[in-house]
Amino acid sequence: MERHIRYQREADVEWTRRIAEKPGCERLFSCIQCGTCSGTCPLSVYMDYTPRRVIQLVREGFRDDALKSKTIWLCASCYACAAHCPQDIHITDVMYTLKREAIADNLAPKRFPIPVLAREFYDMVRKNGRSSEFWLVLRMMLKSNPLGLFAMAGSGLALLRTGRLSLRSERIKHIDQLQRALPASPREVH
């Protein structure tokens, strides 16, 4: 991992203030940096920054570092961090907020499957009112790892044969009502 010295002049304290005002992020400044969140996170060993470090980056205003981190996308939403936090910080909610910010600002990793899946899911639900597993996975794989489709073909065919996977794309009635309620793009969701 490349190291870069950060200076306070690079920080965006206004962004930090906006994040701290979002639902679930209100206790952000209560963090005592004890590391309990990182110690209880089952995926922290795979993350580029531990959850404790992400919280620190957000508190200090290092927006791009926090939003470009793969950590926010690897969060499994198991809530182990929040359940064990001595300061009752809703760390998982902070991660969700950061994901939304990264998508809105187009800072999510381009071919990383998780943000691609989030965008494709949103687009599909807005268009049809529901998601179709086959089409969702196909669109995600084409945009993130097209060659991975070959590895998945056997499982897909087996699911099709047993009737556990459908190629149909269903649409809800009165889709226009849902489309009026949802912004055209997840970038507009804040």
Side-chain angles (χ1 to χ4, degrees), residues 12-70:
D12 184 350
V13 293
E14 184 60 30
W15 174 77
T16 299
R17 187 192 57 71
R18 284 193 312 271
I19 294 294
E21 292 174 352
K22 303 273 184 182
C25 302
E26 302 89 353
R27 297 196 43 82
L28 185 68
F29 291 108
S30 300
C31 180
I32 58 175
Q33 291 288 296
C34 66
T36 301
C37 54
S38 301
T40 59
C41 177
L43 296 175
S44 66
V45 296
Y46 302 107
M47 296 174 171
D48 52 354
Y49 298 125
T50 62
R52 181 189 73 79
R53 177 80 170 127
V54 169
I55 295 297
Q56 179 188 17
L57 289 169
V58 173
R59 285 179 7 153
E60 296 299 322
F62 295 115
R63 178 185 167 277
D64 286 355
D65 291 329
L67 296 182
K68 290 179 180 178
S69 169
K70 290 191 173 142

Side-chain angles (χ1 to χ4, degrees), residues 64-171:
D64 286 355
D65 291 329
L67 296 182
K68 290 179 180 178
S69 169
K70 290 191 173 142
T71 296
I72 63 177
W73 302 105
L74 292 176
C75 174
S77 304
C78 68
Y79 288 88
C81 55
H84 291 92
C85 179
Q87 296 299 100
D88 196 30
I89 299 168
H90 299 218
I91 300 161
T92 306
D93 294 341
V94 174
M95 295 294 181
Y96 276 120
T97 299
L98 296 176
K99 288 177 193 181
R100 285 191 296 275
E101 289 272 326
I103 289 173
D105 294 345
N106 205 24
L107 293 174
K110 299 294 181 226
R111 297 184 71 79
F112 199 59
I114 301 165
V116 172
L117 177 65
R119 281 190 291 269
E120 293 303 319
F121 179 82
Y122 185 89
D123 291 345
M124 187 173 285
V125 169
R126 186 172 192 292
K127 180 181 176 190
N128 299 321
R130 58 181 69 227
S131 69
S132 165
E133 290 85 2
F134 173 80
W135 296 107
L136 181 61
V137 170
L138 179 64
R139 288 170 63 175
M140 179 198 66
M141 291 301 289
L142 287 173
K143 291 183 178 182
S144 64
N145 181 12
L147 296 178
L149 286 169
F150 293 112
M152 298 173 69
S155 298
L157 290 173
L159 290 170
L160 278 170
R161 263 193 308 261
T162 59
R164 296 179 64 199
L165 182 66
S166 172
L167 298 179
R168 282 186 44 201
S169 182
E170 298 179 16
R171 189 179 188 122

